Amino acid sequence: MKPIQLDDLDRQIIGRLGDDARTSMRQISRELDVSEGAVRARVRRLHDAGAVRMAVITNAALHDRFPAFLWIDLTARDLAKEVAGQLAAIQEITFVSTMLGRADILAITLAGDSGELSRFVHEKVRNIAGIRDIRWTLGYRMKKHLYGKCAIVA
């Protein structure tokens, strides 16, 4: 896929949809002082190029689930790309990133309780070659999560 060049108007439209994806094209066109057709064409181009994806994200998946953060240390830092790829292939893991600081990799999943999380870690994560240690924390009573900025998808 060819990278798409974003201009200031593209970024403004993406920002507005990121704040509230339910905003109508008409409202965005008024706010940005451009035609509704221009906004529709831009959104279609961005979508077709893969620069944006429209999705409904709710917290329904979190009804009886808690975000679980897996702080992973590796036996060697040069294994980060390979281990991150293996973690990303695990369906239950919703976020994977190599890190600087506290751990080599952070992975996020959802768990019903600490027992479920412990089983998941031991059955699906612990045996990945290159992992030296896993420390985990279980989120409790989430106070803020901006879906437009960072989605947790189950």
Side-chain angles (χ1 to χ4, degrees):
M1 182 178 297
K2 183 179 173 185
I4 186 171
Q5 293 294 321
L6 300 179
D7 64 17
D8 189 50
L9 181 57
D10 292 329
R11 287 185 187 86
Q12 288 177 328
I13 291 169
I14 291 169
R16 187 61 183 93
L17 290 171
D19 290 339
D20 184 356
R22 298 170 298 172
T23 305
S24 71
M25 300 297 154
R26 178 173 290 164
Q27 180 62 35
I28 293 171
S29 71
R30 285 183 197 137
E31 291 175 11
L32 301 179
D33 196 29
V34 296
S35 73
E36 184 177 348
V39 173
R40 285 188 190 285
R42 295 281 184 129
V43 169
R44 186 177 310 110
R45 180 180 62 88
L46 292 166
H47 183 268
D48 291 348
V52 298
R53 181 172 51 131
M54 304 299 196
V56 176
I57 300 171
T58 70
N59 64 356
L62 301 178
H63 175 66
D64 60 348
R65 320 285 291 155
F66 302 97
F69 304 88
L70 309 178
W71 304 94
I72 300 169
D73 293 323
L74 303 175
T75 56
R77 183 72 182 156
D78 62 342
L79 297 173
K81 184 176 180 180
E82 180 181 333
V83 173
Q86 290 181 52
L87 290 165
I90 298 172
Q91 182 178 353
E92 297 89 347
I93 293 180
T94 61
F95 174 92
V96 177
S97 178
T98 55
M99 306 295 288
L100 297 174
R102 180 176 179 173
D104 295 315
I105 295 175
L106 170 62
I108 301 175
T109 188
L110 299 172
D113 58 38
S114 60
E116 180 184 331
L117 178 58
S118 180
R119 284 187 298 280
F120 171 75
V121 167
H122 289 292
E123 292 171 8
K124 296 202 174 185
V125 179
R126 174 84 53 205
N127 295 326
I128 294 175
I131 292 179
R132 182 183 63 212
D133 188 36
I134 303 170
R135 294 176 314 280
W136 56 266
T137 54
L138 194 57
Y140 181 69
R141 292 188 182 159
M142 192 180 319
K143 296 293 183 192
K144 181 176 183 178
H145 179 224
L146 299 174
Y147 292 99
K149 306 296 182 194
C150 180
I152 298 176
V153 180

